[in-house]
Amino acid sequence: MSMAVVGLVAGMALGFAGYFGGFGAFVLVASLGAVGFVVGRFLEGDLEPGDLFRPRGRGDRGGRGDRDDRLR
């Protein structure tokens, strides 16, 4: 299934939830979709549990590479 079809189905699901259930249902469907996406990526092996809590940065310095390099 292509990403365009997945986006279409997700948009239609959110639209139906918003139309028939109101804003609360829209937020519930969107949040459960996000949780399902993360769990799916984890089960496929594209994501590891530590990736969610590890800071994004270059090397071991936690993203402060440019500033530290100029100071030294």
Side-chain angles (χ1 to χ4, degrees), residues 3-29:
M3 292 304 290
V5 173
V6 172
L8 174 70
V9 170
M12 289 176 62
L14 288 172
F16 280 120
Y19 182 77
F20 291 111
F23 184 72
F26 175 82
V27 171
L28 178 67
V29 169

Side-chain angles (χ1 to χ4, degrees), residues 8-65:
L8 174 70
V9 170
M12 289 176 62
L14 288 172
F16 280 120
Y19 182 77
F20 291 111
F23 184 72
F26 175 82
V27 171
L28 178 67
V29 169
S31 61
L32 289 177
V35 168
F37 175 75
V38 170
V39 169
R41 295 283 306 259
F42 175 71
L43 291 176
E44 286 181 353
D46 294 337
L47 189 67
E48 295 186 16
D51 293 341
L52 298 174
F53 305 108
R54 200 173 312 142
R56 292 185 183 184
R58 291 186 229 153
D60 296 328
R61 290 180 270 191
R64 297 174 299 198

